[in-house]
Amino acid sequence: MSLKRWLQSFAAPRPAMHNRPGPAPTMLPPIDGTNAIHRLLDDSGLPWREPRRLVEARGISKDPAYQRDAVLFTDAARPEGFMQPWWARVFERYAPDMPVVCFNGLVWFADNAAINIHRAADSFAARLGPAVVEQQYNTLVCRWQAGTASLQLQSWPPAWQSPALTNAAYVRDPRLATACGVTLLTGFRLPLSAEEERWVADFRSIAEIRRFETPMSGGLRETAPRETEVEYARGPGDYLATVQNQVGAPPDRAALILCTHQLFVVPAGDVVGFEVLRLLPAKGGGGSTLWVHCRTTCPGIAYKRLHVAEHDKPDGIVPLGQELAAMFGKPCEISPYFDDV
């Protein structure tokens, strides 16, 4: 199909959105032993190695597009078409001693979502090589990946969106309806310390847990943790065969070790407690979910939750929560029954 005919397709009726998982990323090999996306971060002047507290100390303002608290990187180099400087979101649950791991941008050239993502893709391709633009459900997406680091472009063709939805940001700036969003993930993940590696090497499984998340691509080794998780996530090293889809601890119970979409290592002293949510079948099928509460360095935050496991029965995960609580000498809060609505 010619580019002209392809662009004309966006004026057609809204297409079927199912079974559109989006394109595989262009995988970027190391260049002279370095990560291609990390080189892009360095060359752009983005402070991806600094602790967040130092970055935020330079000033927090409102993101011009969406009016959310953010740090704006006005001195960082940005490609043609950027509507505003690169920015990073500010959130109370991002650990202050960990680096910023996600940088965002917006690209706009014309009142056409397809044109904007293609021109943005061409701009980054000059540096990273070509990547495919394809439909992902009701959006257009383009991706590059180097290890756990990634760059994603995404736009939302208006003809593919529900006409009932409204967005106040689009009223303030109509260009946002067709702009291309840029998400640059550094892929930061701490390696296992010597002590943590001893714990993982001595791992003893308590339970096999049903996998409840699937990484976008490449499996756990190439999947970056969420920014709220970087305190506890660790590179898996050579231990995936032992810990994947398991929850357990070393024999001395010095740490809770959990491997779902990431390998999480939580020292026993940082385990605050456990929580079980119980849902009865209603509109949904019901079930139960187990979280562990973990101590955090975030100011004013009592704890963070890590998702441990799920079960399809309302009380199915309760025994595991109680066993872990007893093992670590911590409470286990079990919720009343709620309807799964």
Side-chain angles (χ1 to χ4, degrees):
M1 179 185 295
S2 69
L3 178 60
K4 180 178 179 181
R5 287 182 61 193
W6 192 74
L7 292 174
Q8 288 172 343
S9 71
F10 292 93
R14 190 168 182 256
M17 297 302 163
H18 60 281
N19 298 327
R20 295 282 190 168
T26 292
M27 304 303 294
L28 303 174
I31 302 173
D32 298 329
T34 63
N35 183 296
I37 290 180
H38 291 171
R39 291 178 63 162
L40 174 63
L41 285 157
D42 284 334
D43 292 346
S44 298
L46 292 167
W48 65 283
R49 292 183 173 90
E50 296 182 52
R52 174 173 279 276
R53 58 181 170 79
L54 297 182
V55 175
E56 292 185 3
R58 298 182 193 130
I60 296 173
S61 56
K62 293 293 184 183
D63 156 32
Y66 296 103
Q67 296 296 298
R68 296 176 295 209
D69 286 344
V71 179
L72 301 179
F73 304 101
T74 55
D75 294 332
R78 52 190 189 263
E80 181 187 6
F82 260 51
M83 294 171 58
Q84 61 186 52
W86 289 99
W87 84 91
R89 185 183 176 194
V90 173
F91 183 49
E92 61 184 3
R93 293 182 179 271
Y94 293 159
D97 294 325
M98 296 289 111
V100 175
V101 303
C102 180
F103 297 90
N104 300 283
L106 282 168
V107 175
W108 191 91
F109 292 98
D111 191 25
N112 186 300
I115 289 174
N116 291 328
I117 191 171
H118 272 274
R119 290 194 61 177
D122 289 344
S123 177
F124 284 107
R127 174 64 183 266
L128 300 174
V132 175
V133 176
E134 285 185 358
Q135 181 181 342
Q136 178 174 293
Y137 306 107
N138 64 332
T139 69
L140 288 169
V141 170
C142 179
R143 299 186 179 99
W144 293 262
Q145 186 168 338
T148 54
S150 64
L151 172 64
Q152 176 172 289
L153 310 178
Q154 189 168 26
S155 65
W156 290 258
W160 294 4
Q161 314 310 312
S162 170
L165 296 178
T166 60
N167 191 320
Y170 295 178
V171 176
R172 288 193 303 270
D173 189 341
R175 295 178 300 169
L176 294 173
T178 54
C180 172
V182 182
T183 302
L184 184 51
L185 297 179
T186 73
F188 173 82
R189 183 167 59 189
L190 286 169
L192 291 164
S193 68
E195 183 176 41
E196 290 168 345
E197 187 158 7
R198 287 194 298 271
W199 293 339
V200 176
D202 291 339
F203 175 82
R204 300 294 184 272
S205 178
I206 297 168
E208 183 173 356
I209 49 182
R210 185 175 64 188
R211 185 171 180 171
F212 57 86
E213 294 191 47
T214 301
M216 286 293 294
S217 63
L220 185 154
R221 291 188 187 280
E222 288 77 40
T223 301
R226 301 185 186 98
E227 194 151 11
T228 54
E229 299 174 338
V230 292
E231 293 161 277
Y232 322 104
R234 298 293 183 267
D238 298 324
Y239 297 102
L240 272 185
T242 303
V243 300
Q244 182 79 65
N245 299 327
Q246 305 285 330
V247 58
D252 61 2
R253 302 177 184 178
L256 174 69
I257 298 170
L258 164 69
C259 190
T260 53
H261 62 291
Q262 294 289 327
L263 170 61
F264 296 108
V265 180
V266 185
D270 289 343
V271 176
V272 175
F274 297 86
E275 175 187 356
V276 174
L277 173 65
R278 300 185 294 179
L279 296 176
L280 297 173
K283 292 182 180 179
S288 50
T289 304
L290 172 64
W291 290 277
V292 58
H293 295 178
C294 306
R295 199 179 316 278
T296 177
T297 59
C298 296
I301 303 298
Y303 59 81
K304 286 187 183 180
R305 297 194 309 183
L306 291 180
H307 196 162
V308 178
E310 295 179 338
H311 198 282
D312 56 7
K313 302 296 183 185
D315 289 300
I317 210 68
V318 171
L320 177 58
Q322 293 174 326
E323 181 179 1
L324 291 172
M327 173 177 292
F328 287 95
K330 302 295 181 180
C332 181
E333 177 185 345
I334 300 173
S335 80
Y337 295 109
F338 297 100
D339 289 334
D340 186 358
V341 295

